[in-house]
Amino acid sequence: MSDLNIAKSGYMLSNKPDYPRTPSWPYFVWIVFLCILFVLVFFWGVSFIFDAPLEEEAAWAKTPNPAKAPWYFIGLQELLVYFDPWIAGVLLPGQILVGLVLIPYVDISPTEQGKFSFFNRKFAVSFFSFGLFLWFFLILIGQWFRGPSWEFYWPLIDYPIGGMHWTYPGVPLKVSEAGTANVPNIIGFIGLVLFFGGGMVAPYLVAMMAGTNKIAARLKEYLDVLGPIRYVLIQVHVLLTLSVVVKMVLRLVFGFKYVVTTPYFNI
Amino acid sequence: MSQTPGHGGDQKPGKLKILADYIQSTDAWKSFFRTGYPDSLLKRMAVMRSSFVMHILPTKVGVHGLKLGYTWCMGGITLFLFLMLTLTGVILMFYYVPEEHRAFTDMKDLKFMVPYGMIMRNMHRWTAHAMVFSVIVHMARVFYTGSYKPPRQFNWVVGVILLKLTLLLSFTGYLLPWDQLGFWAVTVGTNMASATPLVGYEGPFSEFLGIRVDNDIRFAIIGGTRIGPNALIRAYVWHCVGLPLIASGLMVFHFWRVRKDGFSGPL
């Protein structure tokens, strides 16, 4: 059986009898030991130099401005600028988790494992890297470039935190929201349908040009192997991720707050 | 074999050597250290196989999987950080009472009264942040090396759950010092839950289900309409008992699955 077929059958190549192996003692044990030693000494040293943060005692009446989430959730808090909480805090995190779980089931190339490779899985690596970049980019912005009322601030500017003393005379509460407008519902609705509906069919439209175009031919080949269910699962997540970027541009560049407004929810 | 005078076979073993040999031949010694010093291939394998601590590692390992540039040691570091957090966490539990009027003063006691209390708290805090980071990096590495592919898809799913549990562990710990930083970060975080569609009182369509501020999903999570004593005890129990138990169980499965499937190698 070829290595490719072995991989397809779900058997790890490293379990093949002739796979080059070495006793774990002492090589592997040595690596583990040194790793433990390094981590222990490093954090012991860090703990001697830097104290864990502790602010004043919790008080319901003293709302700090800004109140920031822990750094790993601050990307979601930053998304609150662009989306209502049910999207930023519930739908998108859920989409991230579901998307992560789905990865092994929609990635249909059994080769390209056990090594860092880009050229045979360009789309997978690019999309995952983009998602990771977006997550940490939002964290960076939220952590260092947001100040009172979640407005943009330079990281080193010393703004007063907490209590009622953060406002400046003559400056409205939410400067960046003062000039925003909503997209008219009819245009927003058409835009949503075009974005998501068009996004779902666009790859197939490109693939129809397979006779004349080389890239389209490869795309068609890929879509045929992928099948409709995997395609839908992937494309929904791609479009949701892109919609975050689109909404950010709409808000920051064109000053639109909502694309669709209804009495029940806004998008 | 040539023998120089004073060296080698004709010399009688020293008293220390005789003593050492005797100690190592006793039943008591052999019951503790079963295989003796692993100086042959057989003993190298046996020492990994017969030791409870060592048997988490394979007896032999693929040469490929040993490279630091391949695994970055991130999975192992994550496990070790978890063990460090367990140890420092248990020590902190001796000095901490999750009660509204005591939690914060216990933080001050840790700093000013408890010997090495601040070092323990610092290590707990910094390793907690590091664990969130190392889990994310571990996940990225597994993705970039395609190590989630067959037969290990399900272990990736378990890994995603462990990532989520790590975030929750860190998040529940954030509230425990009962200072302004944690209090408002957790307020921001849990407020997101109230925006859940249908079951959060600020979420879309919740009015159709009769969901109010005092019976929605956020109320169930924090045990009240705002972060208070109930939220503190809930965070404490989840942080110290519930989540570590679930995470430990899943970790055991995660490692067992890795060992069953072997460390991946390139095709």
Side-chain angles (χ1 to χ4, degrees), chain B residues 110-206:
Chain B
L110 273 172
K111 180 159 188 174
F112 296 113
M113 301 301 288
V114 181
Y116 305 106
M118 203 55 198
I119 279 284
M120 285 301 121
R121 193 165 99 74
N122 291 347
M123 281 181 84
H124 198 76
R125 185 82 170 205
W126 300 132
T127 45
H129 283 311
M131 189 178 159
V132 172
F133 188 70
S134 68
V135 166
I136 295 174
V137 176
H138 173 61
M139 183 188 71
R141 193 282 296 172
V142 169
F143 179 85
Y144 287 126
T145 58
S147 299
Y148 54 81
K149 293 183 181 183
R152 302 202 283 195
Q153 302 104 314
F154 186 64
N155 217 14
W156 167 272
V157 176
V158 175
V160 173
I161 300 171
L162 280 169
L163 167 72
K164 180 74 187 164
L165 284 173
T166 306
L167 295 177
L168 286 177
L169 269 167
S170 189
F171 186 67
T172 48
Y174 223 76
L175 180 65
L176 301 186
W178 205 247
D179 66 337
Q180 283 286 76
L181 184 69
F183 184 88
W184 289 99
V186 172
T187 301
V188 168
T190 49
N191 275 348
M192 295 263 198
S194 67
T196 313
L198 295 173
V199 291
Y201 83 98
E202 285 174 325
F205 308 118
S206 61

Side-chain angles (χ1 to χ4, degrees), chain B residues 73-89:
Chain B
C73 286
M74 274 303 161
I77 286 176
T78 305
L79 169 64
F80 183 62
L81 291 175
F82 180 77
L83 295 177
M84 274 172 78
L85 283 160
T86 310
L87 184 73
T88 52

Side-chain angles (χ1 to χ4, degrees), chain A residues 3 11 16 21 39 41 51 65 87-88 113 144 164 172 177 179 184 190 193 199 222-223 235 257 266:
Chain A
D3 283 354
Y11 181 82
K16 272 168 57 175
R21 257 175 283 194
V39 171
V41 169
D51 270 353
N65 189 347
I87 300 181
Q113 71 168 293
W144 285 331
M164 312 289 285
E177 227 159 74
I190 293 172
V193 171
Y222 176 67
L223 289 176
Q235 194 65 0
K257 186 169 167 62
N266 306 308

